[in-house]
Amino acid sequence: MEKSRRAGVALVRDMNLSSVMRHIHREGSLSRAQLAQRTHLNKATISSLVEELIELRLIHESGMDTSGFGRPATMLDLNPEAGYIIGVEIGVGFISIILTNFTGKILWRRFEELNSILNQEEITRRIFQFLDEGREIARKDGKRLLGTGLALPGMVDVDQGVMIFSPNLQWRDVPLRQMFSEHVGLPVFVDNDANAAALGEHLFGAARQEQHFLFIVAGVGVGGGLFLNGELYRGARGLAGEIGHTSLYVEQTRPCRCGNRGCWENFANQSSLYERIRSRLDVGRRSLITGILEKQLSPLNLSIINQAAEAGDREVLEAISETGAALGLGVANLINIFNPEMVIIGGSLSIVGKYMLPAVEEVIEERTLEVMCRPIKILVSAFGSDASVMGAVALVVREILSKPEVVNSVPQIP
């Protein structure tokens, strides 16, 4: 009985520690008195919890608030120097790795485009090399590493840390959490890239106060992270969000990499934008793209497309708008189904997001039930193509916000 009672007390304390952390994260600087009001805990309990979190180096006293009457209040904030976090995004044709502090500030990064002939083992080996660089930076800076997050393009078993299937990578049943844990010796958290991006936006970005929003990752594929009632929606088997493989087009089209036909992502991804531009060039339409490609001796890419768009190239702007309209069609359906407060678009296509967004919004206006789309915010993620790798960092931060004492069990860098 006594053992059970102690376990109950410990559980309540863990929940209270998490509550304090979440309030400070969500609202910013708070005093002990304000935390007592927010959490409905007495001041003595709050003081004890705060001291414990300060000892864990997760929060710190950040200054005095002298704006009110009476004695100045000591303000508390998350401690950016609580430790470093490594975020990894395995993309289609690239890997992106960042090292951040506890509040998501990027301190170091590595990005590498990958040759299509590289196999899974070679890609993993390359990532491990970058991970070792990040670990060495943390060691030299004298900072503890709090964990590693992985954002992956495909269906992920989050509990087991296994990539079940990635249509665009053609990887199946890869035990990535086990592989990375064995290499880095740290806690490793794994999720789908769109789910991770949605979480990153919720913890670090424009959706911090939103309870119902959609995050659309548009790049080589199209994926979605769904935040409903303040929680990431995962579905019955944890695989919700494969929105790019919704069959929106009934005509016989070329097969998608998933094996189906008519998938939305084939009409709203970066490859579809390339095809729209090439089809214009093939029939002799004049575009700045031709000269840029010749000058840079480079294949068509989003950076070149953005250059032409910034110069007002009509053909490129039309192709971007057509891609935006295709993206907007799928988003309109999602709005009708989920009734979100906000839709955020990230991923590599966000490079041309400001040129694409008007077409997205126009189609949403046309195709969405009026009561659903007003008011609703449609945004391009401020993280842009970093949305998913920032989400990988957010996977670690979320774990610490939920269970602050886990930092005690993180191995120190030798």
Side-chain angles (χ1 to χ4, degrees):
M1 180 68 72
E2 179 63 22
K3 183 177 180 181
S4 176
R5 191 190 70 81
R6 287 199 303 269
V9 170
L11 177 61
V12 169
R13 188 165 186 82
D14 289 345
M15 292 171 62
N16 288 337
L17 284 170
S18 176
S19 179
V20 170
M21 287 286 290
R22 289 181 182 279
H23 279 288
I24 294 175
H25 173 266
R26 185 170 57 249
E27 300 182 51
S29 298
L30 290 173
S31 68
R32 288 168 174 81
Q34 288 170 329
L35 282 168
Q37 293 173 347
R38 303 294 197 279
T39 60
H40 306 291
L41 297 171
N42 64 52
K43 292 182 179 180
T45 300
I46 285 294
S47 292
S48 176
L49 295 170
V50 164
E51 292 310 308
E52 188 169 344
L53 291 171
I54 289 175
E55 188 175 341
L56 291 171
R57 292 182 284 159
L58 293 176
I59 65 173
H60 66 160
E61 295 181 341
S62 55
M64 304 296 291
D65 179 10
T66 58
S67 60
F69 297 103
R71 297 176 57 186
T74 302
M75 306 307 289
L76 301 159
D77 275 297
L78 293 189
N79 180 10
E81 303 304 313
Y84 288 174
I85 297 168
I86 299 177
V88 179
E89 179 185 3
I90 303 177
V92 182
F94 71 90
I95 50 177
S96 178
I97 300 180
I98 59 175
L99 183 73
T100 77
N101 65 14
F102 185 52
T103 54
K105 180 182 178 180
I106 298 176
L107 307 171
W108 168 90
R109 70 162 67 238
R110 286 287 183 268
F111 180 91
E112 186 170 291
E113 294 184 355
L114 299 174
N115 192 309
S116 59
I117 65 172
L118 292 178
N119 61 31
Q120 175 189 310
E121 183 178 348
E122 291 167 326
I123 292 171
T124 304
R125 186 183 307 119
R126 188 67 180 133
I127 295 171
F128 285 170
Q129 291 174 359
F130 287 150
L131 283 174
D132 291 343
E133 287 185 40
R135 281 166 50 87
E136 181 61 17
I137 290 171
R139 188 191 67 79
K140 288 182 177 179
D141 289 352
K143 302 295 184 184
R144 58 182 175 179
L145 273 171
L146 300 173
T148 300
L150 302 181
L152 310 169
M155 290 172 277
V156 178
D157 182 331
V158 174
D159 293 334
Q160 299 300 317
V162 173
M163 176 183 274
I164 298 171
F165 177 51
S166 172
N168 289 314
L169 288 178
Q170 290 297 303
W171 289 10
R172 292 181 183 272
D173 299 322
V174 186
L176 286 167
R177 184 169 65 195
Q178 177 185 338
M179 294 163 58
F180 277 72
S181 294
E182 290 175 353
H183 183 83
V184 298
L186 293 168
V188 175
F189 305 92
V190 181
D191 211 331
N192 166 268
D193 54 0
N195 284 341
L199 181 64
E201 203 70 47
H202 190 59
L203 293 185
F204 303 129
R208 291 182 72 149
Q209 305 301 325
E210 304 298 332
Q211 298 296 301
H212 312 274
F213 73 93
L214 307 178
F215 193 100
I216 310 295
V217 173
V220 172
V222 174
L226 316 177
F227 247 83
L228 305 177
N229 298 315
E231 298 290 340
L232 194 61
Y233 178 73
R234 295 192 176 278
R237 295 187 58 205
L239 305 177
E242 289 298 325
I243 58 176
H245 299 289
T246 305
S247 297
L248 290 188
Y249 298 86
V250 297
E251 67 268 21
Q252 289 299 309
T253 58
R254 60 183 171 79
C256 178
R257 294 188 187 186
C258 73
N260 200 359
R261 291 180 181 270
C263 288
W264 174 31
E265 74 173 39
N266 278 355
F267 299 84
N269 60 5
Q270 68 185 44
S271 295
S272 71
L273 174 57
Y274 296 166
E275 289 173 5
R276 291 182 176 99
I277 291 174
R278 291 192 186 103
S279 67
R280 285 166 162 76
L281 299 180
D282 289 344
V283 297
R285 293 193 184 182
R286 298 181 63 182
S287 170
L288 296 173
I289 289 287
T290 304
I292 297 173
L293 291 174
E294 291 176 352
K295 183 178 180 179
Q296 297 190 10
L297 299 176
S298 170
L300 186 62
N301 58 50
L302 288 170
S303 177
I304 289 173
I305 292 170
N306 190 51
Q307 289 179 51
E310 288 179 342
D313 188 297
R314 179 178 175 181
E315 301 299 333
V316 167
L317 290 172
E318 285 184 359
I320 293 173
S321 290
E322 289 177 11
T323 306
L327 190 62
L329 179 61
V331 173
N333 283 293
L334 292 169
I335 291 172
N336 282 335
I337 296 169
F338 293 107
N339 186 28
E341 301 162 317
M342 177 184 288
V343 176
I344 305 172
I345 299 171
S348 58
L349 268 182
S350 62
I351 293 172
V352 294
K354 65 180 179 180
Y355 305 109
M356 187 172 63
L357 199 58
V360 174
E361 293 174 327
E362 182 178 351
V363 173
I364 289 173
E365 181 78 16
E366 293 173 353
R367 299 297 186 106
T368 306
L369 295 171
E370 185 175 355
V371 293
M372 292 285 195
C373 70
R374 294 179 182 176
I376 186 170
K377 303 171 189 175
I378 313 294
L379 308 174
V380 175
S381 173
F383 297 128
S385 56
D386 278 341
S388 293
V389 74
M390 283 298 298
V393 171
L395 296 175
V396 181
V397 173
R398 177 185 59 181
E399 181 70 8
I400 295 171
L401 291 177
S402 299
K403 305 170 186 174
E405 289 189 316
V406 299
V407 297
N408 279 332
S409 60
V410 175
Q412 298 301 303
I413 304 172

